[in-house]
Amino acid sequence: MKKIVGKVSEDERNEIQLLFERRNGLRELAKILTANDVELYDRLVADMGENATKYQDWWNRMSAKYGWESAENGNWEINFDSCEIYLVTP
């Protein structure tokens, strides 16, 4: 089930969109990169960890700021076109 629980500003949307696109790009890179190049592999792992932290921090900050409804086993999603936040539950 998907339910609208809030909205963010365009600037806030832009911030999470950059993190989202970077996360997807790093995941794609991880699919083609082998551990043979240890330095590059280590950098990828570090970048993925840093990006994941920033991504989760954004959700934590926005949920605290706007007081979005949450649910056990639920997660939030954003519609990048409308800046609306959805609570998605099983």
Side-chain angles (χ1 to χ4, degrees), residues 9-23:
S9 72
E10 288 185 14
D11 286 341
E12 292 164 339
R13 183 261 331 256
N14 293 344
E15 182 182 353
I16 194 64
Q17 190 168 18
L18 285 173
L19 292 169
F20 178 81
E21 290 171 355
R22 178 153 178 82
R23 181 181 72 166

Side-chain angles (χ1 to χ4, degrees), residues 12-89:
E12 292 164 339
R13 183 261 331 256
N14 293 344
E15 182 182 353
I16 194 64
Q17 190 168 18
L18 285 173
L19 292 169
F20 178 81
E21 290 171 355
R22 178 153 178 82
R23 181 181 72 166
N24 289 343
L26 290 169
R27 285 180 176 174
E28 289 300 314
L29 181 58
K31 290 178 184 177
I32 61 171
L33 188 65
T34 66
N36 294 340
D37 186 341
V38 176
E39 185 179 328
L40 189 56
Y41 182 80
D42 289 346
R43 174 72 190 267
L44 173 66
V45 171
D47 284 354
M48 289 178 80
E50 181 181 328
N51 191 73
T53 299
K54 288 178 181 179
Y55 187 82
Q56 187 59 51
D57 286 349
W58 185 92
W59 287 105
N60 294 343
R61 281 187 294 115
M62 295 303 118
S63 67
K65 178 179 179 179
Y66 292 110
W68 298 329
E69 178 184 340
S70 62
E72 189 174 333
N73 298 321
N75 65 284
W76 294 299
E77 288 182 0
I78 184 168
N79 177 318
F80 291 117
D81 294 326
S82 67
C83 299
E84 293 172 325
I85 303 299
Y86 296 89
L87 175 60
V88 181
T89 55

Side-chain angles (χ1 to χ4, degrees), residues 1-12:
M1 186 172 91
K2 219 176 198 182
K3 172 183 177 181
I4 295 176
V5 294
K7 194 168 184 173
V8 294
S9 72
E10 288 185 14
D11 286 341
E12 292 164 339

